[in-house]
Amino acid sequence: MNLEPPAGLRDFTPEIKILRKKIFNRIEKIFIRYGFDPIETSTVEYWDILKGKYGEEAENKLIWRFRLPYSDKEYSLRYDHTIPLARFYSRFQFPLPFKRYVIDKSYRYDNPQKGRYREFYQADFDIIGSREYTSDAEIINLVIEVFKEFKFNNYKIIINNREFLRYIFEKLLSINQDKIFKVYNIIDKLDKIGIENVEKELNSILDTDTSNKIINIIQLKDQELIDYLSKFNDLNELINYNNNIFDLLVDKKNVELSLSLVRGLDYYTGMIFEARVDEPKIGSLAGGGRYDNLIGKFSNRDIPAVGGSIGIERLIDAGIELKIFKMKKKTYTDLVVVYFNNTLKDAWSICNKLRSIGINCYIDIMSRDFNKQIKYAVDKDIRYLLIVGEKEIKNGFVLLQDRETKERINIKIEELDNIKNIIYK
Amino acid sequence: MNLEPPAGLRDFTPEIKILRKKIFNRIEKIFIRYGFDPIETSTVEYWDILKGKYGEEAENKLIWRFRLPYSDKEYSLRYDHTIPLARFYSRFQFPLPFKRYVIDKSYRYDNPQKGRYREFYQADFDIIGSREYTSDAEIINLVIEVFKEFKFNNYKIIINNREFLRYIFEKLLSINQDKIFKVYNIIDKLDKIGIENVEKELNSILDTDTSNKIINIIQLKDQELIDYLSKFNDLNELINYNNNIFDLLVDKKNVELSLSLVRGLDYYTGMIFEARVDEPKIGSLAGGGRYDNLIGKFSNRDIPAVGGSIGIERLIDAGIELKIFKMKKKTYTDLVVVYFNNTLKDAWSICNKLRSIGINCYIDIMSRDFNKQIKYAVDKDIRYLLIVGEKEIKNGFVLLQDRETKERINIKIEELDNIKNIIYK
């Protein structure tokens, strides 16, 4: 019998789960520091809600959608956190701005590979209700903070604006609507396929002059790009908007302005961004942007929004490969209470006391002898032993042993509270 | 368009989610104190793994099972955490004992009603590998600790042992195999339908003498019951085992031994328990027991286990009704940085500083005026305002206002760190 979950789905052992919980927790703290609050939406959505939102490929291959043998309704599993947010927001219509985060699973029936799974956690953060550059800046700052938190130093955040793209490619270079999506698609692959291949592909659908111009423009960065864009008066306001965002960033070092970023989803309307690391080659670790026409879809209202998503699975896979994340803890248990046949009841009452003051304890439940009880601590790297011996108990104390320093301390039974100060110092 | 999730599925607003996270967190801490570690299993399981494990009703009505339009495989959503644990354990075969907890969703296509949803969180805790009464005691202690943690005082934990049931009803009263499950089923409803109705139902399938005996026996409690059971020498060992469990409980006050508890699932082999509250009438809040023949199912090994499950949705619904749980916090945000047009950049750099030292801040992203910025704090019950005025900034300070005490303090900009001590004192 196949004991693994279906392809692209996963089990997490305590070691991995403990590491993941720590990572999730640190990311969540950043969201909260930035004034975002948590929400939760249902795992299962009516297919009607997701239908028509994610494009053909998703609908025909990627969305987990189904009927039950005993239900006519068609259901689907959450495909991302954005459409559920739109439904959720329309349902409750909270006062604006509404800043929410979520760290939860999405489900895609994709081809499983490294960093890509059929169920995967995403950390999403969105600001609903603001059209201001300040909200764009907050979203990008969150991503910068996450990379800084974990001391990734090889990250790069690329920023662009859909309105720059429209102006330069559609208005200035007059690429017509038949070709524009192909052109965007090719440009967007720059990071993956390199400039020569982009040039080759562009040449196959555009005249050489236009193609050359594009090749030049998408290689411009930061001030060079601003200088170029400044030639066009129509773009003044947008350049200002963009500069204002940059002014508010907590760390501009690894942030880059470039017209080479397009991003696949067609719901973006303004600023867009993507975060990558040089190594390992695992695709983008985060992305997002402004989408002013989506949230109001379910309520026929005009509601601006900006947000982003961190691909936690890729972040973790990349972090493990870069040795930023290490599976160090096998257990949350900090202390093993060790006892003998004739001290079982004393040991249990001591263990209960320790647990009641917040110490994470293991006590043998296998009728094992002294040495095997200690082996449990050794196997799980649990640092402290509390030995409950008959003679010691009679004299009113127990023995605390630090397996790391080999130190042994007598602890009076009335003073068990002290153990907390010793082990959680 | 229907903006609610499908029936029996739910969205959680920030207020509810914040409350739920706090409750989950407190329960989790208890598990960790007792030496349990977290694992996670996939949401989606092959139908083959669940098939034949939960009985006919589940298979024909309750399990979310399906094929995708583009897959031949039959899948299902996790129905509980026990079969996934058996699969998981067989896959990894960790050293024993293996103590794990999980707080995650299960999915049942049940009729939605109060305390019963089609997706719901369960907190499960199991000890794999131990046949000892000590492990039974730990499982029950966990449940006691959860009720004590939240100061439920109207809870009752009923304990029984499947072997008592077998001996008394099947051996002593010689109820035959045709009828025994019906009898158990009737007895198990005592709490719901009352003793007279149990009597009536028993009379309809048993002779009056047997029925009367049963009525007497299932009303015996604790020492009375022990006295009765002690008449049978065959039960001596089992009574001892049971007394040993009770000796190790952290609080016996609300714990009761009674033969009236049967529990539906037929995989239990020894000790069983269930936890209830008098009010509200919402069914059992927790339950579990020993199941020595289940974990080894996928690996053809003989592996004892004992565990329990807390129905978190019912616990929360009951706790809210009992006013044990209150939605107090609308946001995690503790402070709003308030600014004027000409102090925007100063305010942002101050806000970044506060966030970097761990203060949860909101800063306006709506281009709102002073009064509307303050309204955000008022609406969300955020206690502190940090007012960044032009004159103050020029003199090197900002103004911290406590909305609760109405106190205002000048804070030097070099000493922003102090704010942390003031607001998280």
Side-chain angles (χ1 to χ4, degrees):
Chain A
M1 183 154 232
N2 187 358
L3 294 173
E4 290 187 34
L9 292 95
R10 286 178 303 162
D11 296 325
F12 297 115
T13 61
E15 259 183 294
I16 304 174
K17 184 72 181 170
I18 287 172
L19 172 67
R20 290 173 68 94
K21 283 170 77 75
K22 196 174 159 195
I23 295 170
F24 284 29
N25 196 23
R26 287 167 70 181
I27 293 175
E28 193 174 352
K29 279 199 175 135
I30 295 171
F31 295 162
I32 292 172
R33 287 212 305 269
Y34 273 76
F36 289 75
D37 284 309
I39 68 161
E40 182 175 327
T41 64
S42 60
T43 307
V44 178
E45 293 275 0
Y46 285 126
W47 167 237
D48 278 352
I49 293 287
L50 305 194
K51 201 165 67 181
K53 308 296 192 306
Y54 297 106
E56 253 178 67
E57 197 199 0
E59 300 213 352
N60 299 324
K61 274 168 62 185
L62 300 180
I63 296 181
W64 286 84
R65 65 185 173 97
F66 51 83
R67 288 173 211 277
L68 305 181
Y70 19 85
S71 157
D72 274 348
K73 298 246 169 65
E74 197 165 7
Y75 297 105
S76 44
L77 302 185
R78 189 196 296 128
Y79 185 76
D80 69 4
H81 295 296
T82 309
I83 297 298
L85 173 65
R87 178 188 61 70
F88 177 93
Y89 182 76
S90 301
R91 178 181 175 196
F92 292 103
Q93 311 216 359
F94 299 101
L96 298 175
F98 181 66
K99 296 171 72 174
R100 84 88 169 81
Y101 74 85
V102 68
I103 303 182
D104 208 340
K105 278 183 190 173
S106 292
Y107 300 82
R108 295 184 190 177
Y109 199 71
D110 219 336
N111 284 330
Q113 52 179 277
K114 182 163 212 124
R116 185 180 293 170
Y117 305 95
R118 284 182 174 171
E119 61 179 351
F120 56 98
Y121 282 89
Q122 287 183 302
D124 272 44
F125 36 98
D126 296 85
I127 300 173
I128 298 181
S130 169
R131 287 183 204 283
E132 308 292 321
Y133 70 87
T134 47
S135 54
D136 296 25
E138 269 204 341
I139 293 297
I140 297 165
N141 275 340
L142 267 190
V143 179
I144 296 172
E145 295 275 14
V146 168
F147 285 112
K148 284 167 74 92
E149 168 74 21
F150 296 114
K151 303 193 168 55
F152 277 86
N153 44 36
N154 63 339
Y155 75 91
K156 195 164 75 181
I157 296 176
I158 299 157
I159 297 184
N160 193 4
N161 196 306
R162 278 283 169 99
E163 293 184 49
F164 285 140
L165 290 175
R166 255 191 299 276
Y167 187 84
I168 300 294
F169 295 102
E170 298 172 48
K171 205 168 157 193
L172 192 72
L173 299 179
S174 307
I175 299 170
N176 66 38
Q177 290 299 314
D178 293 353
K179 287 185 179 164
I180 191 69
F181 289 105
K182 277 187 199 153
V183 170
Y184 284 154
N185 205 2
I186 295 167
I187 293 173
D188 207 34
K189 292 191 287 185
L190 173 60
D191 190 55
K192 275 182 218 124
I193 63 174
I195 193 75
E196 281 108 47
N197 289 313
V198 167
E199 190 169 4
K200 226 179 278 171
E201 292 196 24
L202 286 178
N203 277 332
S204 74
I205 57 167
L206 297 172
D207 61 89
T208 326
D209 183 46
T210 310
S211 172
N212 283 344
K213 277 183 185 152
I214 293 178
I215 290 297
N216 283 328
I217 295 167
I218 63 173
Q219 291 186 88
L220 297 173
K221 273 170 199 157
D222 300 328
Q223 196 51 48
E224 285 176 341
L225 178 57
I226 295 284
D227 290 344
Y228 167 75
L229 296 171
S230 299
K231 293 181 205 158
F232 313 103
N233 280 335
D234 290 350
L235 292 179
N236 277 353
E237 210 175 313
L238 200 57
I239 291 169
N240 258 339
Y241 184 100
N242 182 73
N243 288 341
N244 282 334
I245 295 176
F246 272 73
D247 277 349
L248 295 183
L249 298 184
V250 285
D251 187 346
K252 289 183 252 301
K253 204 172 67 239
N254 299 342
V255 183
E256 187 178 290
L257 183 70
S258 162
L259 293 197
S260 68
L261 179 72
V262 179
R263 286 191 65 72
L265 288 164
D266 43 337
Y267 59 59
Y268 290 114
T269 54
M271 181 278 291
I272 48 177
F273 74 93
E274 202 167 285
R276 302 166 189 155
V277 287
D278 307 335
E279 287 295 333
K281 300 262 172 265
I282 202 170
S284 78
L285 297 193
R290 174 162 290 282
Y291 52 102
D292 285 344
N293 304 324
L294 185 69
I295 293 294
K297 249 194 176 145
F298 293 108
S299 52
N300 283 319
R301 289 167 61 204
D302 182 25
I303 306 168
V306 59
S309 180
I310 293 168
I312 290 204
E313 305 300 347
R314 287 186 186 176
L315 186 86
I316 293 176
D317 286 354
I320 286 176
E321 217 165 303
L322 295 167
K323 299 202 165 62
I324 285 173
F325 301 135
K326 286 173 202 132
M327 272 172 278
K328 274 182 283 193
K329 271 174 96 75
K330 292 180 185 170
T331 178
Y332 285 128
T333 303
D334 299 303
L335 181 147
V336 172
V337 176
V338 183
Y339 62 93
F340 302 87
N341 267 339
N342 50 9
T343 59
L344 182 146
K345 281 194 186 169
D346 290 305
W348 271 71
S349 97
I350 287 166
C351 183
N352 285 342
K353 169 71 185 166
L354 296 179
R355 285 169 174 167
S356 77
I357 60 170
I359 296 177
N360 305 330
C361 301
Y362 175 82
I363 185 165
D364 173 66
I365 39 157
M366 303 289 279
S367 284
R368 281 180 176 163
D369 67 21
F370 184 80
N371 287 325
K372 283 200 179 147
Q373 289 181 45
I374 290 174
K375 190 170 179 299
Y376 187 91
V378 174
D379 289 347
K380 298 223 173 194
D381 289 334
I382 300 167
R383 181 163 168 185
Y384 294 95
L385 303 174
L386 192 77
I387 297 162
V388 183
E390 198 186 2
K391 212 193 286 175
E392 288 82 357
I393 281 287
K394 274 189 186 140
N395 294 320
F397 66 91
V398 287
L399 201 64
L400 180 70
Q401 183 176 335
D402 183 337
R403 291 185 47 253
E404 221 170 282
T405 63
K406 312 281 179 204
E407 224 177 331
R408 285 168 164 235
I409 316 170
N410 284 327
I411 307 271
K412 281 195 191 152
I413 288 175
E414 311 92 89
E415 294 171 359
L416 286 173
D417 287 28
N418 289 341
I419 295 179
K420 198 167 175 179
N421 304 324
I422 296 172
I423 76 176
Y424 299 130
K425 63 186 164 255
Chain B
M1 184 156 230
N2 187 358
L3 293 173
E4 289 186 33
L9 291 96
R10 286 177 303 161
D11 295 326
F12 297 115
T13 62
E15 260 183 293
I16 304 174
K17 183 73 181 171
I18 287 171
L19 172 68
R20 291 173 67 94
K21 282 170 77 75
K22 195 173 159 195
I23 295 170
F24 284 30
N25 195 22
R26 286 167 70 181
I27 293 175
E28 193 173 352
K29 279 198 175 138
I30 295 172
F31 294 161
I32 292 172
R33 288 213 305 269
Y34 272 76
F36 289 75
D37 284 309
I39 69 162
E40 182 175 326
T41 64
S42 60
T43 307
V44 177
E45 293 275 1
Y46 285 125
W47 167 236
D48 278 351
I49 293 287
L50 305 193
K51 200 165 66 180
K53 309 295 192 306
Y54 296 107
E56 253 177 68
E57 197 199 0
E59 300 213 351
N60 299 323
K61 274 168 62 185
L62 300 180
I63 296 181
W64 286 83
R65 65 186 174 96
F66 52 83
R67 289 173 211 278
L68 305 180
Y70 19 83
S71 156
D72 274 348
K73 298 246 169 65
E74 198 166 6
Y75 297 105
S76 44
L77 302 184
R78 191 196 294 128
Y79 185 75
D80 69 4
H81 295 295
T82 309
I83 297 299
L85 173 64
R87 178 186 62 69
F88 177 92
Y89 182 76
S90 300
R91 177 181 175 195
F92 293 103
Q93 311 217 359
F94 300 101
L96 299 175
F98 180 67
K99 296 172 73 175
R100 85 87 169 82
Y101 76 84
V102 68
I103 303 182
D104 209 339
K105 279 184 189 172
S106 292
Y107 301 83
R108 295 184 190 176
Y109 200 72
D110 219 336
N111 284 329
Q113 53 180 277
K114 183 163 211 125
R116 185 180 293 170
Y117 305 94
R118 284 182 173 171
E119 62 179 350
F120 55 99
Y121 282 88
Q122 288 182 302
D124 272 43
F125 36 98
D126 296 85
I127 301 173
I128 298 181
S130 169
R131 289 183 201 283
E132 309 291 321
Y133 69 89
T134 46
S135 53
D136 296 27
E138 269 204 341
I139 293 297
I140 298 164
N141 276 341
L142 267 191
V143 179
I144 297 171
E145 295 274 16
V146 169
F147 284 112
K148 284 167 74 92
E149 169 74 20
F150 297 114
K151 301 194 169 56
F152 277 87
N153 44 36
N154 64 339
Y155 75 92
K156 195 164 73 180
I157 296 176
I158 299 156
I159 297 183
N160 193 5
N161 196 305
R162 278 282 169 98
E163 293 184 49
F164 284 140
L165 291 175
R166 256 192 297 276
Y167 187 84
I168 301 293
F169 295 101
E170 298 173 48
K171 205 168 157 194
L172 192 72
L173 299 178
S174 307
I175 300 170
N176 67 37
Q177 290 299 315
D178 292 353
K179 287 184 180 164
I180 191 68
F181 289 105
K182 278 187 197 151
V183 171
Y184 284 154
N185 204 2
I186 296 167
I187 293 173
D188 206 36
K189 293 190 289 186
L190 173 60
D191 190 56
K192 276 182 219 129
I193 64 175
I195 193 75
E196 282 108 46
N197 289 313
V198 168
E199 190 169 4
K200 226 179 277 172
E201 293 197 24
L202 286 177
N203 278 331
S204 75
I205 56 166
L206 297 173
D207 61 88
T208 327
D209 183 46
T210 310
S211 172
N212 283 343
K213 276 182 184 154
I214 293 179
I215 290 298
N216 284 327
I217 294 167
I218 63 172
Q219 291 187 89
L220 296 174
K221 272 170 200 158
D222 299 327
Q223 196 52 47
E224 286 176 339
L225 177 57
I226 295 285
D227 290 345
Y228 166 75
L229 295 170
S230 299
K231 293 182 204 158
F232 312 104
N233 281 334
D234 289 350
L235 293 178
N236 278 353
E237 210 176 313
L238 200 57
I239 293 169
N240 257 339
Y241 184 100
N242 183 74
N243 288 341
N244 282 335
I245 294 176
F246 272 73
D247 278 349
L248 295 183
L249 297 184
V250 285
D251 187 345
K252 290 184 254 299
K253 205 170 68 239
N254 298 343
V255 182
E256 188 178 288
L257 183 69
S258 163
L259 293 197
S260 68
L261 179 71
V262 180
R263 287 190 64 71
L265 288 164
D266 42 338
Y267 59 59
Y268 291 114
T269 54
M271 182 278 292
I272 49 178
F273 74 93
E274 203 167 285
R276 302 166 189 156
V277 287
D278 307 336
E279 286 296 334
K281 300 260 171 267
I282 202 169
S284 78
L285 297 193
R290 174 163 290 282
Y291 52 102
D292 285 344
N293 303 324
L294 185 69
I295 293 294
K297 249 193 176 146
F298 293 109
S299 50
N300 283 318
R301 289 167 60 204
D302 182 25
I303 307 169
V306 60
S309 180
I310 293 167
I312 289 204
E313 306 299 347
R314 287 187 185 176
L315 186 86
I316 293 176
D317 286 355
I320 286 175
E321 217 165 305
L322 294 167
K323 300 202 164 63
I324 285 172
F325 301 134
K326 286 172 204 132
M327 272 172 279
K328 274 181 284 193
K329 271 175 97 74
K330 292 179 184 169
T331 178
Y332 285 128
T333 302
D334 299 302
L335 181 147
V336 172
V337 176
V338 183
Y339 62 93
F340 303 86
N341 267 340
N342 51 9
T343 60
L344 183 146
K345 281 195 186 169
D346 290 306
W348 271 71
S349 100
I350 286 167
C351 184
N352 285 342
K353 168 72 184 165
L354 295 179
R355 285 169 174 167
S356 78
I357 60 170
I359 296 176
N360 305 329
C361 301
Y362 175 82
I363 184 165
D364 174 66
I365 39 160
M366 305 288 280
S367 283
R368 280 179 177 164
D369 68 21
F370 185 79
N371 287 326
K372 282 201 179 145
Q373 289 181 45
I374 289 173
K375 190 171 178 298
Y376 186 90
V378 175
D379 289 347
K380 298 225 173 194
D381 289 334
I382 299 167
R383 183 163 166 184
Y384 294 95
L385 302 174
L386 192 76
I387 298 162
V388 183
E390 198 187 1
K391 212 194 288 176
E392 288 81 359
I393 281 288
K394 273 188 188 144
N395 294 319
F397 66 91
V398 287
L399 201 63
L400 180 71
Q401 182 175 334
D402 183 336
R403 291 186 46 253
E404 222 170 281
T405 63
K406 311 281 182 206
E407 224 177 332
R408 284 167 166 236
I409 316 169
N410 284 326
I411 307 271
K412 281 196 191 151
I413 288 176
E414 313 91 88
E415 293 170 1
L416 286 173
D417 288 28
N418 289 341
I419 295 180
K420 199 167 175 179
N421 304 324
I422 297 172
I423 76 177
Y424 298 131
K425 64 186 163 253

